[in-house]
Amino acid sequence: MIVTDGRGRQLVTSVLALSVLALAGCGQDEGSDAPPATASGSVALSPSHGGLQGGNLVLADTGGGTDGPVTVRFGEAEVECEFDDRSARHACVAPARGTPGTVEVSFASGGSDVGEKAAYTYTTQGTQDVPLLTVNTETVRSNAEAIRADFPSNVQLGAVLKNGEPVDVFGKVIEDAAEVDYIFVPKLDDAIALREAGVEAKIAVLYVAQIEDIPLLMHYDVEVAATDPAWVEAAEQVLSTTGGTLKVHLWVDTGMGREGVVPEEALPLARAVEDAPHLELAGIATHFSTVTAEDKDAIERNDTANTTVAQKNRFDGAVAAIRDAGLGQDALIHAGASDVLDQEIDSLYYDLLRVGGMFFASSPPETTLYSWTTELSQVKTLPAGWCIDYGCTEPTTAPKKVGLVNHIPSRENELTYTVGGKQVPVLLDHGTVLTLDLSEVPEAAAGDEVAIDFGAEAFHLLDATAPLPVTTTGG
């Protein structure tokens, strides 16, 4: 079922709503005649929102039947937009704006209005006042070269980039060093950044795409997940206006509880994709939840009590059902990730391996990937018997020197803190305020540098839940 949301965008009822921060009523143009929240008109914008800094591509279906250039006014700002043959829409670069809010968008060609007015919403970026993070791209490059050197020759290599910024730098370095076949990203913004950085490998968005973003997927040649027949139907309606073919990957949830249909629903979804003239089944995929060193032998024994074996059997059954029906004969089968490659479980390699964490491994202090530097904002000595943290679970047993640092967002992996060349324990972590134990660094003072890094025992995955100011070293 297709519904129209509060900003006039077509969505499928099973698709999650767009999560952006738009300040309602804040920064709205005085006297603006921007369409109300329920208006849609014949003009569709893809996307219908963007950051205050502007500069992003907006594809507009003017509904005016013109393929010549048009003038587009975003509130008080005018831009010229050329027709884009690939998406069959006009391509505009959104202008910047000073405050969040919704502006009226109008179109003109040859001095005459084209189509109906639309609305475009400017949003905040959600950045935080966090310490500068440095990425050593030479470590990424070395890892990529090592992975390619030992990679099985009959399997395609897909790089998974879920490590936050700078995704465009990561993508270029990994593509150049490892000659990857695919790059998988969690969201369309990442795919756009890769394409605009010049990445030529195939790109696929791992998770569900908004229906309104389909013209952008076509423009940037990006593949996406097919989630259910309702999404397929809605996508086909949009694609019928572009004339192109969108490649999709059918995800099967075999025991992860995340993306994908359950195995019994895989064949009906494959049929829905087959019946859609403008969709192509490019891949069939799943994600293993519990890969261990014991899995290789368990697969050989077909030990169905083993979680990975159970998932593999469900996945193989779903793939067989699809192919026995004459569908997906050329679709890539992919399921394994870095852990499968690391454990050398070749029966889970299939046609393609999605490798993520291995690109971002390091062995401090010999090699590092990410590091932060901040400084001690306060240094003090707490008396004996002094409470630390809520609940006073571990009061000090003697006077203890401590230092405070601020605005360290939580990460997927444990962080380490080094002051004066010595790693120091964390006594309290409230995110916006951390208290470090400086007992072993008696000379530490406010303003001293604190180096923040990842523990060496795990892949150094930097999630993107809290945007960070990033710079790079290593070229």
Side-chain angles (χ1 to χ4, degrees):
M1 174 181 176
I2 305 173
V3 297
T4 302
D5 78 347
R7 289 194 289 274
R9 299 177 303 139
Q10 283 192 327
L11 300 172
V12 183
T13 52
S14 61
V15 176
L16 294 177
L18 179 70
S19 57
V20 297
L21 176 60
L23 303 183
C26 177
Q28 186 80 25
D29 286 343
E30 289 190 18
S32 169
D33 293 325
T38 56
S40 58
S42 62
V43 176
L45 300 179
S46 176
S48 59
H49 68 281
L52 295 172
Q53 81 282 1
N56 55 292
L57 180 69
V58 178
L59 298 174
D61 180 1
T62 65
T66 177
D67 58 1
V70 297
T71 301
V72 180
R73 182 181 290 273
F74 288 74
E76 297 300 316
E78 270 189 6
V79 294
E80 296 296 319
C81 306
E82 297 290 335
F83 190 78
D84 175 50
D85 290 326
R86 194 177 235 172
S87 65
R89 281 153 172 77
H90 283 84
C92 311
V93 176
R97 190 169 189 267
T99 56
T102 300
V103 299
E104 179 184 273
V105 179
S106 59
F107 302 78
S109 178
S112 301
D113 291 342
V114 178
E116 299 178 17
K117 293 179 173 64
Y120 186 83
T121 300
Y122 285 89
T123 70
T124 63
Q125 299 305 299
T127 54
Q128 297 186 28
D129 184 16
V130 298
L132 180 69
L133 179 140
T134 300
V135 177
N136 187 341
T137 56
E138 190 54 41
T139 300
V140 180
R141 185 182 304 278
S142 297
N143 290 341
E145 291 171 348
I147 290 169
R148 172 48 78 187
D150 294 332
F151 201 75
S153 59
N154 60 338
V155 178
Q156 293 193 31
L157 173 55
V160 179
L161 300 182
K162 296 194 292 185
N163 295 68
E165 301 295 342
V167 65
D168 51 347
V169 175
F170 290 150
K172 282 297 293 178
V173 169
I174 290 172
E175 181 181 50
D176 293 344
E179 300 179 348
V180 295
D181 301 284
Y182 263 89
I183 296 181
F184 293 90
V185 292
K187 56 186 188 295
L188 178 57
D189 285 350
D190 293 335
I192 292 173
L194 291 170
R195 281 287 183 247
E196 293 187 344
V199 169
E200 297 179 354
K202 295 177 182 178
I203 299 176
V205 177
L206 289 165
Y207 310 120
V208 64
Q210 302 287 344
I211 293 301
E212 74 160 27
D213 288 337
I214 286 177
L216 287 169
L217 293 167
M218 297 298 294
H219 176 83
Y220 287 105
D221 189 20
V222 175
E223 303 172 17
V224 72
T227 55
D228 55 43
W231 185 93
V232 169
E233 179 184 357
E236 177 60 30
Q237 290 184 23
V238 176
L239 289 163
S240 65
T241 69
T242 70
T245 300
L246 178 65
K247 293 183 178 181
V248 298
H249 294 248
L250 190 160
W251 282 82
V252 185
D253 181 359
T254 56
M256 183 73 170
R258 269 185 13 186
E259 64 276 354
V261 295
V262 295
E264 307 83 65
E265 297 174 356
L267 178 56
L269 180 54
R271 286 200 176 108
V273 172
E274 176 69 18
D275 291 342
H278 298 93
L279 290 174
E280 177 184 335
L281 186 58
I284 307 172
T286 194
H287 192 90
F288 293 113
S289 65
T290 318
V291 173
T292 68
E294 290 73 39
D295 290 345
K296 190 168 187 175
D297 290 340
I299 291 170
E300 292 179 359
R301 302 192 310 272
N302 193 28
D303 179 4
T304 55
N306 176 279
T307 300
T308 301
V309 173
Q311 281 194 261
K312 181 181 187 301
N313 290 347
R314 293 170 192 147
F315 183 57
D316 291 347
V319 172
I322 291 170
R323 288 188 162 172
D324 288 347
L327 308 174
Q329 302 300 315
D330 297 323
L332 283 174
I333 310 302
H334 54 102
S338 293
D339 46 10
V340 168
L341 181 61
D342 188 47
Q343 299 292 343
E344 298 183 345
I345 309 175
D346 51 6
S347 58
L348 302 182
Y349 287 178
Y350 294 103
D351 299 324
L352 177 146
L353 280 168
R354 303 185 304 268
V355 178
M358 293 179 75
F359 286 110
F360 302 97
S362 66
S363 301
E366 292 80 12
T367 61
T368 61
L369 178 64
Y370 299 108
S371 65
W372 278 305
T373 57
T374 186
E375 60 183 38
L376 294 170
S377 60
Q378 182 183 2
V379 173
K380 57 188 174 182
T381 299
L382 303 180
W386 209 256
C387 292
I388 297 177
D389 212 341
Y390 295 115
C392 196
T393 53
E394 293 186 16
T396 59
T397 58
K400 183 182 291 291
K401 186 171 184 176
V402 300
L404 274 61
V405 295
N406 302 92
H407 302 297
I408 311 296
S410 61
R411 302 286 97 190
E412 290 186 5
N413 298 113
E414 183 178 353
L415 301 175
T416 62
Y417 298 84
T418 302
V419 178
K422 294 183 179 179
Q423 185 173 321
V424 297
V426 177
L427 299 175
L428 175 153
D429 183 354
H430 288 176
T432 53
V433 180
L434 278 80
T435 302
L436 305 178
D437 184 349
L438 301 181
S439 301
E440 298 300 316
V441 211
E443 69 282 4
D448 285 358
E449 183 179 270
V450 180
I452 314 166
D453 211 337
F454 295 85
E457 71 283 352
F459 293 133
H460 303 315
L461 293 176
L462 175 65
D463 66 46
T465 55
L468 302 173
V470 175
T471 187
T472 61
T473 63

